[in-house]
Amino acid sequence: MSTIELNQPSATAPQIPVLKHAAIDGMEAYRALVAEAERDHEAFWARLAREHLDWRRPFTKVLNDANAPFYQWFEDGELNASYNCLDRNLINGHADKTAIVFEADDGKVTRITYQALYHRVCRLANALRARGVKKDDRVVIYMPMSVEGVAAMLACARIGAPHSVVFGGFSAKSLHERMVDVGAVAVITADEQARGGKTLPLKTIVDEALTMGGAEAVKTVVIYRRTGGRIPWIAGRDAWLHELEQAQPDTCEPEWVGAEHPLFVLYTSGSTGAPKGVQHSTGGYLLWAAVTMKWTFDIKPADVFWCTADIGWITGHTYICYGPTAVGATQVIFEGVPTYPNAGRFWDMIQRHKVSIFYTAPTAIRSLIKTADANAAVHPRSFDLSSLRILGTVGEPINPSAWTWYAEQVGGGRCPVLDTFWQTETGGHMISPLPGATPLVPGSCTLPMPGIDAAIVDETGRDVPNGQGGVLVVRKPWPSMIRTIWGNPERFRHGYYPEELGGKLYLAGDGAIRDPDTGYFTITGRIDDVLNVSGHRMGTMEIESALAANPLVAEAAVVGRPDETIGEAIVAFIVLKTERPTGAEAKRVADELRAWVGKEIGPIAKPKDIRFGDAMPKTRSGKVVRRLLRSVAKGDAISQDTSTVENPAVISQFADAV
């Protein structure tokens, strides 16, 4: 990284100036931080930890790598995440500052100050303690986007109970798997959630999950009354959130925990089927959440920050719950969808709430381009977006044409567009433009954050030259990194620090390439069997397992194909136990299988295309030839060698998508 030179933007890119007086002000300031980290990696991170967090007991040891790759950071220090996100703001004179501007699906707006959020969190923390939840107990949160969802996360952190948030779109089966794996003792949920003018059940899904067995440790289900819809009730176990809070004091002494204490476990899809419980620490994770809010987003006291993610994903953890509150920001939280009541909802909200920093997914941008081009009334130009000063994207690489539209039509050609690369496992941004320093290139996430030693290597772990594609790795540990896979340390070791790369390089699981002239990074896609659907990672094996469990299905294979709106579309190749269906029967069966997957995993996992055949194309050893299926899914002519395929004639049967 010491060889980084000042990059120049492409001649065809919008000429967007860097911000003046930003947290990292210019490329020289960026290079100085990179050099500081290179000179003394531990001293660099120790300085940041002392400057950006409040410690109950200061740490004396920075990095413990004796049991690598199970690294420990600031291990003898003590702190509390909820204290750093709430109490510290009260002490610093921000008690009356608006913490959250919440806009409900129906447009109702609620504002809550840091003082009020502190009291709400304390009451819920006390209520959980009163119900027997104690330090180290795990709590599952299955909530809609809401102030209450954020309060639930911070309340768990306050009492030292690691939380595991499950996306509200996941099925009872997916919820059950996560409750059982993490060993939850309590669940916090809502009666229903409201999205796009519709109400969707949550509490009934929790009840269904709890009847599946294995989650008997759950003794408490706390329900936020969101819609007032009728729900089943289990006396003694179920309790209304508002009734529990009414009985509790509005202050709560935080549980001081070691820096390595698990803050949360968040499940993400893996290539082997079973979801992986990514475990994050308290100190290292919170540090990077705060630092990246300042470096990447250049957060200022007067900013209004809006991240459109859901708290069920890592983006919602870092850039809704913990990052904004750790730096005392005012943020917008949105319950609904960008197309309800019309496709101008995002731009209308930016206009009304004077949003200055907007962070969303390329999938949302691409879908809104289509509607804006077709209807001037919902085009960004029809709204006053002059409050914006920084734009960001997250979840997947943004294609240059969408980047340019976003920069020009939403940002007015004056707002830096930050294409941020990071993962559930990394805790925060790893490679990203910095608005006050980095010249921008559409389609590139540009340069690593200071302190992040990213590289591109071949399959043996050797560096590849710029301009040659390879595997993205990180050579040195960093504080916000994944600590382990919950309950499965060997899966962590083999999955993220594989022996074939020497056992010392963090494997991101993505391919990448660096520009020969500038050194900028561009992410080229996953190298494993994990799909990126609308910015959400879905394991192909998990979807295949769900399909194979259907009584109609003999075999199933799942691949991805490029999709201009959602990034990657799920394509399922199916062999039934009966004859291959055609025409209307094929459509009926396909719809049945989509509904099945929706129930088993969640609507996000439903295949966009389903293709039927009499048999899978396999090698003589019985392995499904997925490279051929990927070509079929993309509509490419089969020009590859099929000599190793035992039954190449079946490939043509999968030509038609249903």
Side-chain angles (χ1 to χ4, degrees):
M1 289 173 66
S2 58
T3 60
I4 288 172
E5 298 296 333
L6 177 62
N7 195 344
Q8 294 301 320
S10 163
T12 60
Q15 301 299 300
I16 299 171
V18 296
L19 299 182
K20 301 297 184 183
H21 311 298
I24 298 181
D25 196 11
M27 283 299 292
E28 289 304 319
Y30 167 78
R31 289 196 194 94
L33 286 167
V34 171
E36 179 190 353
E38 288 182 339
R39 281 194 306 272
D40 192 330
H41 193 63
E42 291 189 35
F44 171 80
W45 289 110
R47 177 180 69 80
L48 293 179
R50 293 186 178 107
E51 289 178 1
H52 294 276
L53 296 180
D54 282 2
W55 297 84
R56 176 73 165 189
R57 179 178 15 169
F59 58 88
T60 62
K61 188 172 183 61
V62 182
L63 171 64
N64 182 350
D65 59 2
N67 190 29
F70 299 93
Y71 299 103
Q72 295 187 315
W73 287 87
F74 322 121
E75 60 182 316
D76 61 343
E78 286 188 355
L79 76 169
N80 181 275
S82 179
Y83 178 92
N84 272 272
C85 294
L86 298 174
D87 307 52
R88 186 168 58 163
N89 285 307
L90 308 188
I91 294 168
N92 292 340
H94 297 151
D96 294 329
K97 182 178 182 179
T98 299
I100 295 171
V101 179
F102 173 69
E103 180 155 323
D105 187 62
D106 63 3
K108 182 181 178 182
V109 175
T110 304
R111 290 176 170 82
I112 184 169
T113 65
Y114 273 99
Q115 184 78 62
L117 181 60
Y118 163 80
H119 289 315
R120 186 171 295 188
V121 168
C122 286
R123 288 193 294 269
L124 178 53
N126 288 326
L128 290 173
R129 278 177 171 165
R131 297 283 292 198
V133 180
K134 57 189 183 299
K135 179 184 177 184
D136 296 324
D137 285 343
R138 276 80 64 200
V139 177
V140 163
I141 299 172
Y142 188 62
M143 291 279 278
M145 285 301 296
S146 56
V147 174
E148 287 73 16
V150 171
M153 297 167 73
L154 291 171
C156 290
R158 195 163 193 87
I159 63 175
H163 59 69
S164 185
V165 184
V166 179
F167 174 55
F170 276 143
S171 68
K173 184 174 183 294
S174 295
L175 175 62
H176 170 259
E177 290 174 344
R178 289 154 174 78
M179 287 193 301
V180 171
D181 190 75
V182 82
V185 303
V187 177
I188 305 174
T189 188
D191 51 3
E192 296 174 319
Q193 60 179 327
R195 286 178 66 82
K198 301 176 182 177
T199 57
L200 305 167
L202 289 179
K203 170 59 163 59
T204 54
I205 292 175
V206 171
D207 289 340
E208 183 182 351
L210 288 172
T211 64
M212 294 179 178
E216 288 76 19
V218 174
K219 303 299 183 185
T220 293
V221 176
V222 178
I223 306 111
Y224 159 49
R225 181 179 281 165
R226 167 61 188 91
T227 67
R230 296 185 63 182
I231 57 172
W233 196 265
I234 305 297
R237 186 198 71 183
D238 296 349
W240 287 114
L241 172 64
H242 62 277
E243 292 180 353
L244 289 178
E245 288 183 343
Q246 285 172 0
Q248 298 299 328
D250 59 9
T251 61
C252 174
E253 178 66 17
E255 183 76 39
W256 303 103
V257 298
E260 281 298 312
H261 186 267
L263 179 59
F264 63 84
V265 178
L266 182 59
Y267 285 83
T268 184
S269 291
S271 59
T272 59
K276 300 178 295 187
V278 173
Q279 179 180 320
H280 274 291
S281 71
T282 299
Y285 169 82
L286 190 62
L287 169 63
W288 203 223
V291 170
T292 52
M293 282 295 300
K294 295 176 181 179
W295 285 359
T296 309
F297 295 121
D298 186 41
I299 196 78
K300 307 289 189 190
D303 276 319
V304 177
F305 177 82
W306 183 16
C307 170
T308 68
D310 190 284
I311 57 170
W313 310 107
I314 188 63
T315 304
H317 281 56
T318 307
Y319 299 112
I320 294 179
C321 181
Y322 290 107
T325 55
V327 299
T330 294
Q331 67 168 317
V332 173
I333 293 180
F334 178 42
E335 179 180 39
V337 296
T339 54
Y340 178 82
N342 59 60
R345 184 71 179 266
F346 275 2
W347 324 131
D348 177 54
M349 288 180 61
I350 291 171
Q351 174 179 270
R352 286 186 287 105
H353 300 306
K354 305 301 180 187
V355 172
S356 55
I357 304 170
F358 182 60
Y359 193 37
T360 195
T363 299
I365 296 167
R366 288 193 295 266
S367 66
L368 293 173
I369 289 173
K370 291 182 177 181
T371 55
D373 289 346
N375 182 0
V378 297
H379 196 286
R381 287 195 301 262
S382 298
F383 299 85
D384 179 4
L385 306 183
S386 60
S387 60
L388 288 170
R389 66 184 192 92
I390 293 174
L391 301 174
T393 68
V394 61
E396 61 182 316
I398 182 170
N399 53 300
S401 62
W403 189 103
T404 300
W405 185 90
Y406 191 33
E408 294 180 341
Q409 304 303 323
V410 180
R414 70 183 188 282
C415 300
V417 177
L418 314 178
D419 178 3
T420 62
F421 169 80
W422 60 297
Q423 304 171 312
T424 303
E425 295 87 346
T426 70
H429 302 148
M430 300 294 281
I431 307 174
S432 174
L434 299 172
T438 318
L440 302 172
V441 171
S444 172
C445 51
T446 69
L447 297 171
M449 302 290 284
I452 303 302
D453 190 3
I456 300 174
V457 302
D458 63 19
E459 63 275 6
T460 67
R462 296 176 181 170
D463 286 351
V464 301
N466 288 359
Q468 181 177 324
V471 177
L472 181 64
V473 298
V474 183
R475 289 182 288 214
K476 294 179 183 177
W478 69 100
S480 70
M481 64 191 297
I482 177 178
R483 291 306 192 259
T484 188
I485 296 295
W486 181 265
N488 199 337
E490 285 308 302
R491 187 179 183 188
F492 164 75
R493 183 195 297 273
H494 295 310
Y496 295 102
Y497 287 88
E499 288 300 323
E500 53 266 34
L501 296 182
K504 296 182 179 179
L505 299 176
Y506 169 84
L507 177 64
D510 284 285
I513 191 169
R514 297 189 78 170
D515 185 271
D517 299 320
T518 65
Y520 275 21
F521 283 74
T522 295
I523 306 302
T524 56
R526 297 293 300 177
I527 62 171
D528 56 17
D529 289 328
V530 175
L531 308 180
N532 195 323
V533 183
S534 296
H536 307 312
R537 286 167 58 181
M538 301 298 305
T540 56
M541 185 65 71
E542 187 177 7
I543 303 169
E544 287 176 5
S545 298
L547 286 164
N550 185 284
L552 298 175
V553 176
E555 285 187 277
V558 170
V559 302
R561 66 163 174 80
D563 185 281
E564 64 178 14
T565 300
I566 62 174
E568 264 187 304
I570 299 169
V571 182
F573 293 82
I574 304 291
V575 177
L576 298 178
K577 295 176 181 177
T578 57
E579 292 184 358
R580 174 165 53 101
T582 58
E585 177 64 9
K587 184 180 185 307
R588 185 192 67 78
V589 176
D591 289 345
E592 182 177 334
L593 293 177
R594 286 189 183 96
W596 175 273
V597 173
K599 182 173 177 57
E600 290 289 295
I601 301 175
I604 196 171
K606 291 181 180 180
K608 188 165 186 178
D609 297 345
I610 292 182
R611 298 166 182 262
F612 295 103
D614 290 330
M616 290 290 179
K618 295 180 180 179
T619 63
R620 290 173 178 82
S621 62
K623 184 178 180 180
V624 175
V625 188
R626 292 177 181 275
R627 59 182 172 85
L628 295 178
L629 297 182
R630 292 188 184 97
S631 293
V632 172
K634 291 188 290 185
D636 294 344
I638 303 298
S639 58
Q640 306 165 53
D641 179 21
T642 59
S643 61
T644 61
V645 181
E646 186 175 26
N647 52 349
V650 302
I651 298 171
S652 62
Q653 296 177 354
F654 291 106
D656 296 327
V658 183

